[in-house]
Every structure is written in C-alpha cells, then in structure tokens.
Amino acid sequence: MVASLGTVGRGHKPTDVKALFVLVNNSVMAKTHNPEWWGHLHWLTVLATQGSFTAAARRLGVSKAAVSQRIAELERAAGVPLVRRTTRSVRLTDAGQRLVDEVAGAYAEIEQGWARVRDLAGQPSGLVRMTAPVALARQVLVPLLVTFAQAQPRVRVELDLSDRLVSLAAEGFDLAVRHTHAPPDTHVAWRLCATRSVLVASPAFVQRQGALQHPAQLSQCPCLHYPRPGARPLWTFEPVHGGERVTVPVQGPLAATNSEALRDAALAGLGVALVPDFSARAALAAGTLHEVLPDWRPVDAFAPSIWAIRPWTPHVPAAVAALVAHLRAALADAPDQA
C-alpha cells in the first residue's frame, strides 16, 4: 500500500470498546471490582504480541520483574492460568488467549484515541520505535535522525539496527526503513529515494590488477560479494548504452552480509566489491575507491529503492508523520538513479 502522509489503508472494523468492560465486569472484575486490573489486561496483550517477558518489558518501558508480577496478579484474580512459562518462551493458555482476543481490539482503539488527543497539542511528541538494516541506518539514517531530533525535541526515536526482517506489528515497531524492491501490500509505504548498485575497487587494486574492460574478466579477479542463501555467487551486468546482459560467476577471499564490510575490504585493496551506492558514495567522492566497469550497469544486485513502511492504522501519529516527512524531504535531493 503506497501512500502519501494523509493516506489511510484498508477498511477497519474495530472491536467494540464495550467488550473490554463487559469482559472485565463479568470475569476479572467480578472478584475485585477494581479498575486497576485494566492496566494488567493491557500488559497481557503486550506480552501476547511480544512473545516474552523481556520483550514485553522493553515495549512497556518497565522491568521484566514488573511484567511477571502483574501477570501473576492477574492470574490470581482470574482464578485460572493465563500464561505457560518455559525457559525459552511464553505462550498463552486457552483462557489467556481468549482474554487477549476479547480485549486487544479495545485497547488498540484506546491507544489510537489517546494518540489523537495528544496530536491536538499541535507539536509532535512521544516515542517512535523504528527499525532499519545496519548499513543503511549507520550511513544514511543516523545523520538524518540527528537533525530530526534537533527540529523535533519532543519526539524520541528508538532505533533498532537489524538486518533481519522483523514483523512490525508483532514486535511493536511504528516504522521501518527498508532497502527493497517493493513494500508489502499489507502496510502503508512511502518511497524515500532511489538507489543503485556500484562496482568498486581501491586505486591500488586497480593499478595492481589493471583496468577491467568487460564483466567476463571478473571471473579471474578476487571479488567481494554479498552471499545469498542457496544461490551460487553470480553477478549480472547490462551495457549502459544498450546491449545484451552478461552474467559472470564470481569468487573471492571474502563474502559478507553487510555492505560496509565489503566496502572496507575493497578500501583495503582486497578485491572488487559490489555494494549499494550509499555504502560507497563518500569513498568515491574522496577518491579512495574507484568505480569499476562504469560502462556496465549491475542488475538485480540490490533493491532499487529505499522505503519507509508502517503497519496500517486508521490514524497516523503526528510523531510518525513528522519523521517520515523529514526523511522524505532530506532524501528527495538524492539522485534518482534506479
């Protein structure tokens, strides 16, 4: 779902908020008649989505012991076990799952309502939990987050640097920035900028190896590549000025699932590296790396665009909207080379 900042996505059928109060009055509240348990129920829904006490505590901003204590108190009030605890994971019992299913939608509505009220203050505020790949975050996003923090002092950003493909909704992230061919159609997405893949080597390596004239020569060179699971390392190129594609098997002394590592190895003269342009841009500008085979364009090595992605909700928090707008404006001047 590609959208502008004002776009909303698919139809939404919220759980009736009354379900929360009916359930509480008929079960847990029957024993205590204490609204304090509403907070305990919310913590149970967070535990269900996060899958562990540690992750739930991090999401709630409290200690692991506090989460464990509240769930235990809720179980005593309910009179039935709600959680199965093992050394490695946490799973809900049938009663716990039923309880979460009943109240989760209501709490989501409450959270959205609270976000709308906070947005009435005019200035964006609150916490934005964001995830991004390591190299992309370090080289592109962190400098932009610094300027964003200076411009929006009431917004706090918690950045998770991870190359794994996380589930935004399940792990409680408000926003992801991803280097991808196409965003998932179940989410709202904004294209931030185009990128391209570049073939680079150090001046010392080029002098030692000699200038390459054709991609076929790469099969005789040490090549630094990004390994793909179950795939033979192959690089494909097409002539910039038109012509047939050429695919070349490559090998070399280093393969790494991080473009910074490949770039640094190329800087050290270890071989020819194929990396996203944002990883090599500064080194190319400084002359510490040279582009190899500039008349040939790498094909399908890395995704052609960087996207901001968020889970669909009927209301976009002002803090999230402000951060996306900042990233879009900052990256709009990036060369569209896709």
Side-chain angles (χ1 to χ4, degrees):
M1 186 186 306
V2 181
S4 67
L5 280 175
T7 299
V8 295
R10 298 178 176 182
H12 179 59
K13 186 178 181 181
T15 301
D16 190 347
V17 176
K18 293 180 180 178
L20 170 63
F21 304 105
V22 170
L23 181 67
V24 170
N25 286 329
N26 290 344
S27 57
V28 178
M29 291 294 287
K31 292 191 174 185
T32 64
H33 298 284
N34 188 344
E36 175 188 351
W37 298 107
W38 297 352
H40 289 59
L41 286 167
H42 172 57
W43 285 28
L44 179 66
T45 65
V46 174
L47 177 63
T49 59
Q50 299 299 302
S52 74
F53 283 100
T54 300
R58 184 169 55 248
R59 175 62 172 161
L60 290 164
V62 299
S63 69
K64 177 182 175 181
V67 178
S68 181
Q69 179 180 343
R70 282 212 173 186
I71 299 304
E73 291 171 352
L74 190 61
E75 288 179 317
R76 286 195 294 270
V80 293
L82 302 174
V83 174
R84 292 192 183 95
R85 301 163 177 82
T86 69
T87 56
R88 294 187 177 182
S89 65
V90 171
R91 292 187 179 182
L92 300 184
T93 63
D94 289 343
Q97 188 61 57
R98 179 178 177 181
L99 188 57
V100 167
D101 290 343
E102 290 283 353
V103 304
Y107 276 115
E109 278 200 32
I110 292 170
E111 185 175 352
Q112 290 295 317
W114 177 243
R116 291 188 186 96
V117 170
R118 293 186 66 184
D119 288 350
L120 294 177
Q123 185 176 357
S125 63
L127 173 66
V128 178
R129 295 193 70 236
M130 176 179 176
T131 180
V134 177
L136 178 61
R138 284 167 49 91
Q139 296 171 87
V140 177
L141 298 180
V142 170
L144 301 183
L145 293 180
V146 171
T147 57
F148 177 75
Q150 293 167 342
Q152 300 288 352
R154 296 180 61 185
V155 178
R156 295 176 294 116
V157 178
E158 182 181 299
L159 177 62
D160 173 77
L161 281 71
S162 175
D163 289 330
R164 68 187 181 91
L165 201 61
V166 303
S167 170
L168 303 189
E171 299 192 35
F173 286 106
D174 303 298
L175 191 68
V177 174
R178 290 181 178 161
H179 193 201
T180 183
H181 288 273
D185 59 10
T186 54
H187 289 57
V188 180
W190 301 269
R191 187 174 181 269
L192 299 179
C193 66
T195 66
R196 68 184 182 98
S197 303
V198 291
L199 195 66
V200 295
S202 69
F205 178 87
V206 173
Q207 185 176 13
R208 183 173 70 249
Q209 185 74 30
L212 300 181
Q213 303 299 324
H214 192 275
Q217 295 174 273
L218 290 167
S219 62
Q220 305 301 318
C221 289
C223 294
L224 314 172
H225 68 279
Y226 195 107
R228 310 291 180 179
R232 181 186 179 192
L234 298 170
W235 288 350
T236 299
F237 302 86
E238 61 184 12
V240 171
H241 303 295
E244 294 185 0
R245 291 185 176 185
V246 175
T247 298
V248 184
V250 297
Q251 59 181 347
L254 176 68
T257 57
N258 179 276
S259 62
E260 287 183 302
L262 298 174
R263 178 204 61 202
D264 290 350
L267 283 167
L270 194 60
V272 180
L274 183 56
V275 297
D277 57 354
F278 57 78
S279 286
R281 188 175 293 125
L284 287 169
T288 52
L289 285 178
H290 289 173
E291 189 168 357
V292 177
L293 295 173
D295 291 333
W296 292 82
R297 181 185 297 114
V299 177
D300 295 332
F302 295 96
S305 299
I306 296 174
W307 296 81
I309 302 168
R310 72 169 181 88
W312 183 85
T313 54
H315 172 72
V316 185
V320 173
L323 178 53
V324 171
H326 181 80
L327 295 177
R328 295 181 78 190
L331 294 173
D333 295 331
D336 194 337
Q337 298 166 326

